[in-house]
């Protein structure tokens, strides 16, 4: 189990339908469970038959983690848990748990009531599904079971968006969901500590974009809106009810205040008021500045922005309308668009990403004639503006996150293949780490290598530290530890070698070698001994040598040299223990070649 | 491992804990009870308080005595200090605060002395607490500073603190704990700079302390964001449990799992009112308030701005509804009333499940948000902040400070104290209510004492300890004997066999925790190079000589590089070489057989005693002496023969 495998069921080289299967340390985890906005058939949901052809998913999955409340990350959740069948834990943050069921219900209504689809999840299923949810707090270590723990980090993308650190044994993975590395008007920036995961699974929506400063974009946006209403035009801003909408509202609200503008600003009813209320109650999840000032003034109580009524669509004069949904694929925003599109004085500002197949995507790609339902053609004469306010990390942000958490591998999801390819090259270049970008249904496998934790006896460690502690500090001096590693079952202990031998009743066996060299040499034995001593000192200078008064020489721990004999012939005894085998045998050869000629 | 207790009041704890080279401060409680010794600070000029008679020890007219007369005033049959209010702070003189690495705070009640610790003391460490504790703690400090600064008294009284005078004073004053150590109130600047050192943590968020230890806060159920602390090394676990409640109120319930099976449990902050049940007291509080209101009287509730006050709003408004008194206005006066009410709405994650689920709707978690919207609960910064234009009686006023020594409550007692139709209801357990009321006597107002202390009582604490099963227990000395005022209530003690370790102010407790192991990691390269041999069924052993890398108090063993092996020396100057061990007893016969296989002939074995033998290899001019634990090869011949003998022998023995 030194492998981590990842298989995207959705969001592999694609945006939408995020659903990634992760296997780590024998655990199977589903990361996100989203729907695809571009499809209306079975392709809108991930293909769960990949996990199991029949039966429920419960026994195949240890947990499901939802990163944030956008439908492309949680839209398939009730389908997965109630219609396919999953009863295990589902983890998400508190704001996600609060908002997610509302968006799911909204999505269900549009699909079932407007489009008349059957075989879709019901309100009841959403409720049962949400009962399986366990809410997590930021930075809290949540024990999923005895072996697996997860921890959420702030992701900044929308209210309650989180990145998840998943750890099983020593292996770990970070899944980012969608995130934003630059703080905006209502949310803070994503942050993670240096957790050094084996794998970072990151979104790559803006893999090739480096966005200019946020201030410029905001100024640009305000100028466009102001110019349009000055000329008597109407501005439509399609948004999703939660997230970008609040940021743009704060932006317009402060601008209207400062410029003292009287042109009405509307926000489509329904979700919105509720949405703002969520922001008020979950203010701890917003930006520093909003948190600091919320007692005096809650930023989500708007003065200039009024609720919108369908009857206002044909009101004369300029106005600004925020309407849902954000990709002009259905609902009020599409209705307003159809009425305003033929007038060139009007303007539509698309503040976020549009999935292929939606009206938003078409007009952004320059389509000026749209075929609507019942074969009617719609002339698009109004100005179409795209402003990237979508809160995803850009290329720079992704690189920044990689250097923040220092993963050993990176895996890209939630982006387009061509752009991923570019980013992959860059990541490999800059960080020299593995980078993967599996397509849907394709499995990426990575090996992991880990150190092995061992219990070391404190006395052994302290003895070593005490020795070092006495010496002047020197970072380059190698610290060497010698001990016996005891392996009993899965328990590893490093203890003093002598203690270990004693503990296991292992009597140490002393092995000693003695050889005597006999040769003829004139002179007193002390002279020969002196000669040997000088030889040893020059040839074995790395070893402590001791020349004792009785004429014997000791080298290293156990090597002994003794000279005996008379005036003519000498015999030199060399004796050493196995511990000093290398020194002893070397010395013997040395003496043989130097003395015995 | 040592624990030093710095606080005389176990309900406002402060400790220093030394463990594994790290110095912690556990909590930073301010013993506010001591401010009862001062005269109240009136909100508006108060003729009665300014005309009090001085107190002297004798009739002599010395200058000293005259000054003492200025400092001490007789009031309501007691003696009070008339001067700048000073606070009894933790005993910091016995410790070097610059050596404190981290301060762990349990809840907003135990953070109030923080500026005294972190400012002007050389403190360089980090303070850890939860976000609600930081925000609400800040409001408490702000309120305290505002009350003190609003009614400035410049006169600092010191004469009365002299030992020779103290002993002459009535016991109310002479019993004070080291009054010369008292400090004047911190400033707003001190509060801000002190709280800037705080790093907020979430429940169950592990925080690393210098790589040596991990600290973790887990819910304690006492107030919003209140926590118990778990300090762990790889092998030991120390739990600090202070301010815990097992009752169900508005905060998230206590989380016991992380506290289980610790090596040591430090217990503090048990209930200050062991004789009463907080649930019954809330009921009594509501009934008393309703009766007074029905009779046209006003109700005054001295309170802190947060904590149990939220429950009082909720319970009282509900009770008034059932009594048909819904139209009675509730006023909440505190310099921080805006903030505490606003903050109570945004801490959903820290609340009980019932409160949390309201936020999902989305509705404010506390009913007082609706009371504010409906205008039933009106909040003001102080009595001058628009209260006049709106004031209707009969009414209920919640205001501070519960010591009755400062804040708007002083004004309301003066205003309503003369009428027996009005009622003052004490709910805060921090102050003996008779002492609190002493400077206002004589007084006609009805007095109710309904202390609500949700902290563990002795029964709950004993049950908790049994469940948590710590190896050692440390408690306040006062918890091991019945309360002084109730010596016969022997059930009000902590039971622990054979008797827990105890702490009291100024004492250092040696804790019986002996560390035996540390964690070290083997690099995968080193692990792959090891060749363990089985020395017993199921147990393997191998010798390691490796290079030790120490970084951030984490230990890593890596293979010795070849360069290190040949050139570098150990700390003691010897050359670094791997060591090997040979063990076992040589079986002579198998050794001889092995030698024969190697082509050595003419082997003669001669027994020399019990376990000894001598093997002669006359062809090779060699003699081998074998004992049970040693072998000596005396080889006069070729090196090749010696190495052959060596290798054969090693095969017959075990090598590590």
């Amino acid at each position: 189990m030194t492998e981590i495998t990842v298989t995207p069921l959705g969001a592999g080289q694609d945006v939408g339908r995020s659903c990634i299967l992760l296997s780590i340390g024998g655990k199977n985890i589903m990361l996100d469970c989203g729907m695809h906005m571009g499809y209306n058939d079975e392709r809108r949901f991930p293909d769960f038959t990949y996990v199991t052809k029949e039966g429920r998913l419960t026994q195949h999955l240890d947990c499901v983690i939802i990163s944030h409340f956008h439908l492309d990350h949680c839209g398939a959740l009730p389908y997965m848990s109630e219609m396919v069948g999953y009863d295990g834990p589902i983890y998400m943050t508190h704001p996600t748990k609060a908002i997610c069921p509302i968006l799911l219900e909204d999505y269900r209504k549009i699909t079932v009531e407007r489009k008349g689809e059957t075989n879709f999840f019901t309100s009841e299923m959403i409720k049962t599904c949400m009962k399986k949810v366990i809410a997590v707090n930021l930075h809290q270590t949540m024990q999923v079971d005895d072996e697996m723990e997860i921890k959420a980090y702030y992701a900044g993308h929308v209210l309650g968006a989180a990145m998840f650190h998943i750890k099983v044994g020593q292996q770990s993975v970070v899944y980012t969901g969608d995130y934003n590395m630059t703080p905006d008007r209502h949310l803070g920036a994503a942050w993670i500590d240096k957790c050094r995961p084996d794998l970072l699974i990151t979104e790559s929506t803006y893999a090739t974009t480096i966005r200019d400063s946020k201030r410029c974009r905001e100024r640009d946006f305000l100028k466009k809106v102001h110019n349009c209403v000055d000329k008597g035009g109407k501005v439509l801003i399609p948004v999703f009810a939660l997230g970008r909408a609040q940021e743009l509202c704060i932006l317009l609200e402060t601008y209207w205040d400062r410029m003292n503008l009287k042109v009405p600003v509307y926000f489509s009813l329904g979700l919105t008021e509720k949405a703002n209320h969520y922001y008020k109650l979950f203010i701890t999840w917003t930006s520093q500045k909003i948190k600091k000032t919320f007692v005096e003034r809650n930023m989500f109580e708007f003065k200039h922005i009024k609720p919108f009524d369908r009857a206002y669509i044909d009101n004369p004069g300029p106005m600004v309308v925020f309407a849902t949904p954000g990709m002009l694929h259905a609902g009020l925003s599409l209705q307003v668009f159809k009425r305003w599109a033929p007038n060139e004085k009007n303007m539509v500002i698309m503040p976020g990403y549009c999935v292929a197949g939606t009206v938003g995507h078409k007009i952004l790609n320059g389509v000026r004639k749209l075929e609507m339902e019942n074969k009617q053609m719609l002339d698009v004469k109004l100005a179409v503006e795209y402003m990237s306010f979508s809160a995803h990390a850009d290329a720079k942000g992704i690189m920044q996150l990689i250097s923040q958490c220092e993963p050993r591998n990176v895996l890209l999801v939630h982006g387009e293949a061509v752009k991923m390819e570019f980013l992959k090259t860059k990541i490999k270049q800059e960080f020299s780490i593995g980078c993967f970008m599996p397509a849907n249904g394709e499995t990426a496998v990575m090996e992991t290598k880990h150190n092995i934790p061992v219990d070391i006896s404190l006395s052994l460690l302290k003895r070593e530290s005490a020795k070092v502690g006495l010496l002047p500090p020197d970072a380059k001096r190698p610290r060497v530890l010698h001990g016996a590693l005891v392996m009993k079952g899965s328990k590893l202990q490093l203890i003093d070698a002598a203690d270990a031998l004693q503990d296991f009743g292992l009597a140490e066996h002393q092995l000693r070698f003695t050889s005597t060299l006999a040769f003829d040499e004139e002179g007193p034995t002390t002279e020969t001994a002196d000669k040997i001593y000088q030889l040893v000192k020059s040839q074995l200078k790395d070893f402590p040598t001791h020349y004792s008064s009785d004429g014997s020489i000791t080298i290293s721990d156990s090597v002994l040299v003794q000279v005996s004999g008379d005036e003519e012939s000498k015999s030199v005894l060399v004796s050493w223990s196995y511990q000093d085998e290398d020194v002893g045998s070397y010395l013997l050869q040395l003496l043989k070649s130097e003395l015995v000629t | 491992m040592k624990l030093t207790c710095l606080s005389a009041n176990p309900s406002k704890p402060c400790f220093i804990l030394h463990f594994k080279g790290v110095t912690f401060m556990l909590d930073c409680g301010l013993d506010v009870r001591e401010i009862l010794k001062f005269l109240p600070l009136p909100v508006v000029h108060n003729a009665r308080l300014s005309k009090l008679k001085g107190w002297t020890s004798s009739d002599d007219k010395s200058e000293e005595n005259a000054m003492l007369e200025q400092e001490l005033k007789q009031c309501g049959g007691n003696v009070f200090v008339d001067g700048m209010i000073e606070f009894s702070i933790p005993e910091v003189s016995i410790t070097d605060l610059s050596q404190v690495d981290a301060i762990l705070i349990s809840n907003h009640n135990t953070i109030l002395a923080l500026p005294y610790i972190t400012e002007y003391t050389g403190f360089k460490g980090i303070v850890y607490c939860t976000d609600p504790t930081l925000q609400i703690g800040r409001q408490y400090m702000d309120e305290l500073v505002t009350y003190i600064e609003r009614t400035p008294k410049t006169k600092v009284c010191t004469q009365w603190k002299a030992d020779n005078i103290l002993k002459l004073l009535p016991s109310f004053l002479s019993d004070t704990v080291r009054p010369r150590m008292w400090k004047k109130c911190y400033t707003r600047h001190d509060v801000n700079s002190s709280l800037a050192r705080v790093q907020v943590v979430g429940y169950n968020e592990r925080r690393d302390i210098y790589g040596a230890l991990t600290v973790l806060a887990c819910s304690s159920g006492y107030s919003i964001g209140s926590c118990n602390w778990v300090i762990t090394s790889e092998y030991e676990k120390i739990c600090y449990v202070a301010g815990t409640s097992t009752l169900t109120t508005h905060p998230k319930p206590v989380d016991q799992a992380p506290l289980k099976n610790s090596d040591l449990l430090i217990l503090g902050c048990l209930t200050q009112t062991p004789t009463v049940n907080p649930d019954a007291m809330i009921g009594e509080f509501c009934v008393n308030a309703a009766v007074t209101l029905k009779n046209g009287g006003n109700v005054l509730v001295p309170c802190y701005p947060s904590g149990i006050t939220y429950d009082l709003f909720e319970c009282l408004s509900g009770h008034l509804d059932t009594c048909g008194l819904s139209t009675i206005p509730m006023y909440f006066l505190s310099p921080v009333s805006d903030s505490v009410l606003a903050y109570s709405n945004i801490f959903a994650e820290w609340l009980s499940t019932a409160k949390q689920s309201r936020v999902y709707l989305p509705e404010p978690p506390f009913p007082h948000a609706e009371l504010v919207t409906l205008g039933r609960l009106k909040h003001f910064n102080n009595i001058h902040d628009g209260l006049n234009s709106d004031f209707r009686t009969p009414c209920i006023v919640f205001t501070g400070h519960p010591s009755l020594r400062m804040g708007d409550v002083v004004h309301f007692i003066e205003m309503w104290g003369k009428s027996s139709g009005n009622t003052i209801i004490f709910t805060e357990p921090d102050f003996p209510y008779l002492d609190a009321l002493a400077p206002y006597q004589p007084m006609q107002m009805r007095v109710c004492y309904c202390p609500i202390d949700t902290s563990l009582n002795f029964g709950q604490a004993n049950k908790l300890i049994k469940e948590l099963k710590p190896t050692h227990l440390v408690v306040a000395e006062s918890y091991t004997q019945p309360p002084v005022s109730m010596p016969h209530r022997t059930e009000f003690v902590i039971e622990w066999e054979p008797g827990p370790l105890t702490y009291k102010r100024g004492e250092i407790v040696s804790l019986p925790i002996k560390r035996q192991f540390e964690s070290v990691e083997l690099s995968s390269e080193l692990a792959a190079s090891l060749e363990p041999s089985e020395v017993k069924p199921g147990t393997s052993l191998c010798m390691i000589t490796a290079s030790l890398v120490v970084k951030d108090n984490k230990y890593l063993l890596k293979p010795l590089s070849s360069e290190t092996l040949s050139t570098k020396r150990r700390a003691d100057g010897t050359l670094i070489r791997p060591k090997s061990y040979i063990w076992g007893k040589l079986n002579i016969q198998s050794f001889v057989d092995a030698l024969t296989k190697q082509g050595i002939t003419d082997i003669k074995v001669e027994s020399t005693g019990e376990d000894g033998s001598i093997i002669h290899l006359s062809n090779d001019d060699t003699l081998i002496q074998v004992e049970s634990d040693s072998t000596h090869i005396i080889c006069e011949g070729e090196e090749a023969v010696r190495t052959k003998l060596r290798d054969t022998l090693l095969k017959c023995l075990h090598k590590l």
Side-chain angles (χ1 to χ4, degrees), chain B residues 260-276:
Chain B
K260 284 197 168 134
N261 303 317
S262 60
D263 295 280
L264 180 83
L265 180 74
I266 303 165
L267 184 67
C269 288
L270 299 186
T271 179
Q272 301 182 71
T273 55
T275 51
V276 298

Side-chain angles (χ1 to χ4, degrees), chain A residues 216-364:
Chain A
C216 296
R217 261 177 293 147
E218 286 175 359
R219 215 172 23 237
D220 209 26
F221 167 77
L222 292 168
K223 211 168 84 192
K224 276 177 185 160
V225 173
H226 197 168
N227 282 345
C228 182
V229 293
D230 258 359
K231 288 181 194 138
K234 295 174 167 60
V235 183
L236 170 66
I237 308 170
V239 287
F240 284 99
L242 282 146
R244 226 33 38 201
Q246 277 69 27
E247 185 190 352
L248 294 180
C249 282
I250 293 175
L251 190 62
L252 271 194
E253 168 91 7
T254 40
Y255 187 75
W256 249 237
D257 222 30
R258 192 168 39 139
M259 306 301 281
N260 202 12
L261 293 180
K262 296 284 178 263
V263 177
V265 183
Y266 297 113
F267 205 128
S268 66
L269 260 176
L271 265 180
T272 330
E273 258 176 301
K274 237 180 172 181
N276 289 344
H277 213 81
Y278 280 117
Y279 275 87
K280 283 186 224 165
L281 293 173
F282 286 112
I283 214 125
T284 48
W285 290 79
T286 59
S287 74
Q288 276 304 329
K289 198 184 148 202
I290 293 183
K291 268 189 269 182
K292 250 191 196 139
T293 57
F294 91 100
V295 176
E296 292 85 55
R297 179 159 184 249
N298 199 318
M299 287 284 256
F300 297 102
E301 275 161 21
F302 301 118
K303 235 176 23 202
H304 297 274
I305 301 171
K306 301 276 185 302
F308 184 69
D309 190 290
R310 255 168 236 280
Y312 299 169
I313 296 185
D314 296 321
N315 277 6
M319 65 173 102
V320 181
V321 173
F322 288 94
T324 55
M327 298 184 194
L328 287 179
H329 55 282
L332 185 67
S333 63
L334 186 61
Q335 205 182 343
V336 175
F337 174 76
K338 280 193 234 165
R339 299 290 266 278
W340 291 0
N343 190 335
E344 60 275 358
K345 269 208 294 196
N346 297 340
M347 178 188 278
V348 61
I349 299 180
M350 305 297 296
Y353 185 86
C354 287
V355 159
T358 58
V359 173
H361 186 260
K362 283 179 198 152
I363 58 167
L364 280 181

Side-chain angles (χ1 to χ4, degrees), chain A residues 153-157 161 163 176 178-183 187-192 393 400-401 404:
Chain A
Y153 290 91
Y154 192 76
H157 171 68
M163 309 191 274
T176 64
D178 293 355
Y179 63 103
N180 184 9
M181 293 298 284
T182 45
L187 294 172
W191 176 86
I192 194 160
Q400 213 179 326
L401 188 84
Q404 251 183 34

Side-chain angles (χ1 to χ4, degrees), chain A residues 94 97-98 135 137-141 143 149 170 274 277-278 280-285 294-295 449-458 461-462 464 467 471 477-489 493-495 497 500-501 504 506-516 541-543 556 575-576 578-583 585 588-589 592, chain B residues 203-206 235 338-339 342-343 345-347 349 356 359-364 515-525 527 530 532 535-536 538-548 550 555-557 560 564 566 568-569 571 575-577 579-584 627-637 639 642 646 649-650 653 655-656:
Chain A
H94 283 275
K97 188 182 170 188
N137 294 329
L138 286 181
H139 304 164
Q140 166 193 19
T141 302
Q143 213 73 39
E149 58 184 45
Q170 286 187 302
K274 237 180 172 181
H277 213 81
Y278 280 117
K280 283 186 224 165
L281 293 173
F282 286 112
I283 214 125
T284 48
W285 290 79
F294 91 100
V295 176
K449 228 179 171 186
H450 285 283
N451 293 336
I452 297 154
V454 168
D455 301 342
I456 183 168
S457 121
L458 203 60
L461 189 65
K462 280 195 171 161
E464 195 278 338
K467 262 190 235 162
L471 298 165
R477 180 185 299 123
R479 295 178 63 171
V480 176
L481 195 105
H482 177 74
L485 183 68
V486 182
M487 288 165 255
K488 207 187 273 173
Q493 273 187 0
L494 189 58
I495 58 175
L501 292 176
F504 292 101
L506 307 179
E508 208 181 332
H509 195 99
Q510 299 294 337
L511 176 55
R512 212 171 170 84
F513 302 98
T514 304
S515 286
T516 316
K541 51 178 174 281
D542 282 336
F543 297 90
S556 186
S575 175
W576 67 93
Y578 180 66
Q579 203 64 252
D580 280 317
E581 167 72 13
D582 50 350
V583 187
S585 58
L588 188 66
Q589 294 311 312
K592 233 182 223 174
Chain B
Y203 284 151
N204 297 320
E205 171 180 353
R206 288 193 205 117
Y235 306 93
D338 295 348
S339 308
Y343 275 114
N345 281 333
I346 65 160
F347 287 131
E349 289 112 303
Q356 219 171 65
V359 175
Y360 293 158
L361 292 178
E363 275 167 23
R515 295 201 302 128
Q516 288 188 318
F517 286 102
E518 178 56 271
S519 179
V520 64
E521 289 193 343
L522 303 185
S523 76
S524 43
E525 292 81 23
L530 297 178
V535 291
K536 248 189 191 173
T539 306
S540 304
L541 195 67
C542 75
M543 293 297 169
I544 289 181
T545 302
S547 117
L548 177 70
V550 187
Y555 299 90
L556 174 67
L557 286 176
L560 287 165
T564 312
S566 56
K568 295 287 168 77
R569 281 157 189 276
L575 199 76
I576 294 163
R577 285 185 303 158
K579 254 194 210 165
S580 60
Y581 294 81
I582 305 165
W583 61 278
E627 301 280 331
S628 64
D629 62 348
S630 67
T631 301
H632 195 169
I633 299 177
I634 301 157
C635 179
E636 309 298 346
E639 177 68 3
R642 191 187 68 83
R646 179 192 70 194
L649 180 74
L650 288 177
L653 288 164
K655 195 181 159 205
L656 283 170

Side-chain angles (χ1 to χ4, degrees), chain A residues 161-235:
Chain A
M163 309 191 274
F164 282 87
H165 182 245
I166 302 140
K167 196 168 170 225
V168 181
Q170 286 187 302
Q171 290 177 304
S172 62
V173 170
V174 169
Y175 173 60
T176 64
D178 293 355
Y179 63 103
N180 184 9
M181 293 298 284
T182 45
D184 61 31
R185 269 174 197 272
H186 77 301
L187 294 172
W191 176 86
I192 194 160
D193 51 25
K194 213 171 265 328
C195 51
R196 299 195 176 92
D198 293 302
L199 173 65
L200 171 74
I201 304 175
T202 174
E203 65 133 324
S204 49
T205 322
Y206 290 126
T208 53
T209 325
I210 296 207
R211 284 175 300 165
D212 48 0
S213 110
K214 188 108 185 173
R215 292 223 167 270
C216 296
R217 261 177 293 147
E218 286 175 359
R219 215 172 23 237
D220 209 26
F221 167 77
L222 292 168
K223 211 168 84 192
K224 276 177 185 160
V225 173
H226 197 168
N227 282 345
C228 182
V229 293
D230 258 359
K231 288 181 194 138
K234 295 174 167 60
V235 183

Side-chain angles (χ1 to χ4, degrees), chain B residues 147-328:
Chain B
Y147 284 155
I148 296 280
E149 286 180 354
R150 211 158 72 180
T151 327
K153 272 200 181 179
T154 44
K155 187 177 66 179
V156 182
C157 302
T158 51
Q159 297 286 324
W160 70 278
K161 297 176 182 175
D163 285 333
N164 59 333
I165 302 210
L166 261 183
K167 63 179 182 230
L168 299 172
L169 292 171
S171 65
F172 176 61
L173 276 180
S174 62
D175 283 351
T176 50
V177 185
R178 302 192 64 183
R180 264 164 296 173
M181 299 293 292
W182 289 4
K183 290 269 167 65
K184 64 178 189 189
C185 189
Y186 36 73
T187 63
R188 203 152 301 230
H189 167 268
D190 296 345
V191 171
N192 288 334
S193 103
S194 179
L195 293 181
R197 298 169 192 266
V198 171
Q199 283 194 12
V200 297
V201 297
Y203 284 151
N204 297 320
E205 171 180 353
R206 288 193 205 117
R207 279 297 182 102
D208 181 278
I209 307 287
Y210 301 126
L213 293 168
T214 308
V215 296
L216 176 135
C218 53
S219 179
S220 71
Y222 172 73
S223 62
I224 304 180
S226 70
C227 63
N228 292 320
W229 287 96
V230 183
I231 303 167
T232 45
S233 69
E234 296 277 343
Y235 306 93
E236 295 85 17
K237 175 152 116 178
I238 316 297
C239 294
Y240 172 55
V241 173
T244 296
S245 175
T246 49
L247 302 175
T248 317
T249 55
H250 59 268
K252 201 180 175 78
V254 57
D255 180 8
Q256 295 189 14
L259 306 174
K260 284 197 168 134
N261 303 317
S262 60
D263 295 280
L264 180 83
L265 180 74
I266 303 165
L267 184 67
C269 288
L270 299 186
T271 179
Q272 301 182 71
T273 55
T275 51
V276 298
N277 172 333
D279 273 340
M281 284 298 117
I282 284 218
E284 210 169 291
F285 162 79
C286 292
V287 170
N288 278 308
V291 167
T292 306
L293 294 167
K294 246 183 206 156
N295 295 330
N298 298 301
V299 177
L300 179 61
V301 187
C303 64
Y304 286 121
S306 171
I308 205 76
T309 306
Y310 297 145
D311 297 308
L312 296 182
F313 291 151
E314 185 170 348
C315 295
L316 185 61
S317 63
H319 185 74
L320 294 182
D321 287 344
T322 62
C323 301
L325 292 167
S326 306
T327 53
I328 301 281

